[in-house]
């Protein structure tokens, strides 16, 4: 039974590590997990302000505004929509931590135009400003969670490879270390996933209300939420299994030593 639980724990830790890593590095390049964004900002219906139109007969796209911006944990990407409404990603920012999407800096267009030259409400810029610190904290916690999950899986593999060879104290030390890193990853990913959920649900709703009259639409990243919460649930079960098996871990090496002595 113990062997079975330990095996299940390793599988859960591995799958959680893979899912959380995919979420963390989504959007690193134009072709990497673009559908796993925390949120998407659709600006395809935005137009220049009347003062710009009177001087220069241009659309927002002519000024350099992209049709959409996908916001990820460490990056953002931008692109245009084709005639069928399909997304064509044209570029992504460099990964940075802590990261927060700042429309005032991102929406700096060519020929000196900026966000003030299109029908863009200041309330949306203010909304992102309010969420900046929280979003940066989310990105840092996500990195910690992914790293701790990887450490958990690595320790589990080392314990399996070592078998009964380590001393009882060494085995107990690594078991406690595995439990601690697993708990840290669960808390870190749990908190960061909760923040991402707030962004993808409540914050997206706020952006949609403020941008309703300006052609700005925000979309929640449902795939990202599904992946990140799946990783958190698997980590929860890993923690539970660790709690169940922890009391017996300290005595696992004793029978092996007695056998060797005989």
């Amino acid at each position: 039974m113990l062997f079975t639980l330990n095996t299940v724990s390793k599988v859960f830790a591995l799958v959680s590590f893979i899912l959380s890593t995919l979420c963390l590095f989504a959007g690193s390049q134009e072709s990497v997990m673009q559908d796993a964004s925390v949120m998407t900002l659709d600006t395809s219906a935005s137009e220049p302000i009347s003062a710009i139109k009177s001087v220069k007969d241009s659309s927002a796209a002519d000024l350099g505004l992209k049709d959409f911006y996908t916001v990820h944990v460490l990056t953002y990407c931008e692109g245009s929509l084709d005639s069928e409404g399909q997304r064509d990603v044209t570029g992504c920012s460099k990964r940075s931590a802590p990261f927060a999407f700042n429309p005032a800096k991102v929406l700096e267009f060519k020929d000196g135009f900026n966000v003030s030259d299109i029908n863009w409400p200041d309330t949306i810029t203010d909304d992102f400003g309010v969420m900046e610190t929280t979003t940066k904290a989310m990105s840092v916690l996500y990195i910690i969670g992914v790293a701790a999950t990887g450490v958990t899986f690595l320790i589990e593999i080392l314990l399996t490879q070592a078998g009964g060879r380590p001393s009882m104290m060494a085995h107990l030390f690594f078991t406690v270390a595995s439990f601690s890193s697993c708990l840290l990853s669960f808390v870190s990913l749990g908190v960061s996933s909760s923040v991402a959920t707030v962004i993808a649900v409540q914050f997206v709703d706020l952006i949609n209300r403020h941008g309703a009259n300006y052609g700005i639409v925000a979309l929640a990243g449902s795939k990202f939420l599904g992946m990140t919460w799946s990783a958190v649930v698997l980590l929860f079960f890993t923690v539970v299994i660790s709690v169940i098996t922890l009391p017996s871990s300290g005595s696992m090496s004793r029978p092996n030593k007695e056998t060797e002595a005989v």
Side-chain angles (χ1 to χ4, degrees):
M1 179 65 177
L2 185 61
F3 172 78
T4 303
L5 286 177
N6 285 334
T7 303
V8 171
S9 176
K10 293 178 181 64
V11 173
F12 283 175
L14 175 60
V15 176
S16 178
F17 177 68
I18 293 173
L19 288 174
S20 56
T21 300
L22 289 175
C23 289
L24 180 64
F25 291 103
S28 299
Q29 297 179 2
E30 289 85 344
S31 58
V32 178
M33 300 289 291
Q34 287 298 326
D35 55 347
S37 61
V38 180
M39 64 172 289
T40 299
L41 207 58
D42 188 334
T43 57
S44 57
S46 298
E47 292 293 337
I49 59 176
S50 56
I52 297 296
K53 282 187 174 181
S54 63
V55 176
K56 182 178 181 180
D57 185 17
S58 301
S59 65
D62 294 330
L63 301 183
L65 179 69
K66 303 300 181 181
D67 288 336
F68 67 88
Y69 298 85
T70 55
V71 182
H72 301 272
V73 178
L74 299 179
T75 65
Y76 76 88
C77 297
E78 59 187 23
S80 57
L81 301 176
D82 60 22
S83 57
E84 298 180 354
Q86 299 297 318
R87 295 178 184 175
D88 178 24
V89 180
T90 57
C92 295
S93 65
K94 294 182 179 180
R95 291 192 300 270
S96 62
F99 170 76
F101 182 80
N102 185 345
K105 293 182 179 180
V106 172
L107 304 182
E108 293 179 352
F109 313 136
K110 58 186 179 182
D111 299 329
F113 294 103
N114 54 45
V115 69
S116 63
D117 298 314
I118 62 173
N119 284 317
W120 181 278
D122 292 335
T123 50
I124 291 184
T125 302
D126 295 338
D127 292 338
F128 277 99
V130 170
M131 289 294 294
E132 181 176 359
T133 301
T134 304
T135 305
K136 287 182 176 180
M138 179 194 73
S139 63
V140 173
L141 284 173
Y142 217 95
I143 293 174
I144 295 173
V146 172
T149 305
V151 170
T152 300
F153 178 70
L154 179 61
I155 294 176
E156 290 288 342
I157 293 299
L158 290 176
L159 284 173
T160 302
Q161 294 297 323
R165 283 173 289 177
S167 65
M168 181 182 68
M169 291 303 298
H171 189 92
L172 182 60
F173 170 78
F174 282 110
T175 302
V176 173
S178 175
F179 171 76
S180 300
S181 61
C182 183
L183 184 61
L184 175 62
S185 61
F186 170 69
V187 172
S188 298
L189 287 181
V191 173
S192 56
S193 297
S194 298
V195 174
T197 302
V198 172
I199 294 174
V201 179
Q202 297 182 0
F203 186 67
V204 162
D205 180 66
L206 181 65
I207 296 299
N208 285 331
R209 283 191 279 114
H210 288 166
N213 298 324
Y214 298 88
I216 299 169
V217 178
L219 304 171
S222 56
K223 183 174 182 178
F224 174 87
L225 293 181
M227 292 173 62
T228 189
W229 279 113
S230 294
V232 172
V233 170
L234 289 174
L235 281 174
F236 171 75
F237 286 121
T238 305
V239 171
V240 171
I241 293 174
S242 297
V243 171
I244 295 174
T245 58
L246 186 60
S248 57
S249 297
S251 59
M252 286 183 66
S253 61
R254 287 182 178 177
N256 294 324
K257 285 191 172 184
E258 292 174 358
T259 302
E260 291 175 1
V262 173

